Amino acid sequence: MAQSKSTVPASVPRRELAQILTDLREASGLTLKEIADQVGVDHGHLSRVHRALRGISEELLGKLLDRPYAHVATDDERTRAFELLRADLAEEDPYKRHSTLLTPTQYGGYLKFEAGATSLRAYELALIPGLLQTEEYAAAVIEAMRPDLSKKGVATLVEIRMQRQERLMGGGKAFHVVIDEAALRRPVVSAEPMRRQLRRLVEVAEHPFVSVRFLPMNTGCHAGLYGSFMIMGFSEPTPSVVWVEGLAESTYFAKQDHVERYATAFDSLWQRGVPLAADHDFVEKVIKELPT
């Protein structure tokens, strides 16, 4: 599946369905052109369906499974394909009413991925991760990074961030994150709110589904210096994606070699990181160095 810069990425069910169709196409030994001719659709249309860039009708799915893929599709794959089609059609965007706030940075697309992911792995270079931020810290970050927003807009994004944290803590979704020491020391808010943020970080590091490591400054150069990133894993056979946030636009990578490159970088950072749950003293030292 190709790299994409879509403002609204495909739903998780659509991506899984596209992966099933791609696997069936490879198993059939046919080209997309040959398959398109058999089911009577445009080759470009079918290509976009197989890449999850557009949805598929129940009629076309039935034709694919009854004609070119009839001899390679199992009963389980047929059943699952129609289940995913119905799930894709039924999926609603819970943040649709906030599209004006979310569109400039493709944040709405990120939220769809995060909600459907079964695991999250992140590296943060400059800030405490959004999923671990206090309301005070989150408000300061959003206000500084989105100067286009009104106070109401900032408050709305803070509320969405807090809702995401509740889902993470209560949903059993594994979250592994490596945070650069620079992020712990960056004075995003004044001293007392910063103390509360750092203590919050220590608290959530004890959560059974959250694992936090920090990367000391003396680590030297490493792949994370390219910038922060999030790797989102999904149930099989849906492949993982990488999300990289940018100032003008954000990007998600779905090509397997791109995802593997980020996964290798994360593994390296994780190995070099110090488990926060096992070294509270470091955070306490940072807290004590804050001005009184």
Side-chain angles (χ1 to χ4, degrees):
M1 199 171 290
Q3 174 184 339
S4 176
K5 293 185 178 180
S6 171
T7 299
V8 183
S11 71
V12 173
R14 184 181 298 181
R15 292 182 66 242
E16 184 176 340
L17 177 55
Q19 186 62 48
I20 289 175
L21 293 176
T22 298
D23 291 343
L24 291 175
R25 182 193 64 76
E26 293 174 353
S28 73
L30 300 171
T31 66
L32 268 178
K33 177 68 168 60
E34 291 170 333
I35 294 168
D37 290 341
Q38 285 194 35
V39 297
V41 297
D42 177 72
H43 167 261
H45 175 101
L46 193 61
S47 174
R48 289 189 290 274
V49 167
H50 278 70
R51 289 180 289 146
L53 298 180
R54 67 171 301 156
I56 184 174
S57 68
E58 186 172 350
E59 178 185 7
L60 178 55
L61 180 58
K63 287 182 178 179
L64 287 170
L65 295 173
D66 290 340
R67 297 178 189 177
Y69 301 153
H71 65 294
V72 292
T74 66
D75 290 342
D76 287 345
E77 285 173 325
R78 292 178 64 88
T79 300
R80 183 59 177 160
F82 281 106
E83 287 176 348
L84 292 168
L85 172 59
R86 289 191 289 272
D88 181 39
L89 294 174
E91 184 168 286
E92 295 183 4
D93 182 358
Y95 300 109
K96 186 175 181 179
R97 62 193 178 96
H98 301 308
S99 59
T100 302
L101 296 175
L102 305 178
T103 298
T105 57
Q106 291 86 46
Y107 191 35
Y110 172 83
L111 293 174
K112 290 180 68 175
F113 275 150
E114 184 184 272
T118 56
S119 66
L120 304 170
R121 290 175 291 166
Y123 169 69
E124 288 290 343
L125 176 62
L127 296 168
I128 304 299
L131 286 169
L132 305 180
Q133 293 174 1
T134 63
E135 290 191 39
E136 298 166 296
Y137 188 98
V141 169
I142 293 169
E143 185 175 0
M145 298 183 72
R146 290 290 304 276
D148 58 304
L149 296 180
S150 64
K151 288 185 177 180
K152 182 178 179 181
V154 171
T156 297
L157 291 186
V158 171
E159 181 182 358
I160 290 174
R161 190 159 294 184
M162 297 303 109
Q163 291 171 354
R164 289 167 53 215
Q165 291 184 15
E166 289 179 8
R167 285 196 297 271
L168 173 69
M169 300 303 173
K173 184 181 300 186
F175 180 38
H176 292 72
V177 59
V178 180
I179 308 173
D180 197 279
E181 181 182 336
L184 303 182
R185 294 186 177 279
R186 186 176 302 281
V188 171
V189 287
S190 58
E192 194 53 42
M194 196 67 196
R195 288 189 185 92
R196 287 193 285 271
Q197 172 61 77
L198 292 173
R199 290 187 177 121
R200 165 67 174 164
L201 192 61
V202 172
E203 176 187 325
V204 296
E206 301 290 347
H207 192 279
F209 300 115
V210 178
S211 298
V212 181
R213 295 190 177 190
F214 70 88
L215 200 66
M217 294 287 280
N218 61 13
T219 301
C221 289
H222 52 79
L225 293 176
Y226 278 108
S228 304
F229 59 87
M230 172 73 82
I231 306 172
M232 290 175 271
F234 303 89
S235 300
E236 292 292 342
T238 307
S240 299
V241 298
V242 176
W243 189 275
V244 179
E245 191 171 356
L247 180 62
E249 63 180 355
S250 299
T251 302
Y252 71 93
F253 298 94
K255 280 186 176 180
Q256 191 63 29
D257 59 337
H258 290 168
V259 174
E260 288 177 357
R261 193 172 302 175
Y262 275 95
T264 299
F266 178 83
D267 289 343
S268 173
L269 295 167
W270 184 256
Q271 291 301 319
R272 299 169 79 176
V274 178
L276 191 57
D279 194 359
H280 292 174
D281 290 345
F282 176 79
V283 178
E284 290 300 326
K285 180 175 182 292
V286 175
I287 290 174
K288 289 177 181 178
E289 291 175 359
L290 290 168
T292 56

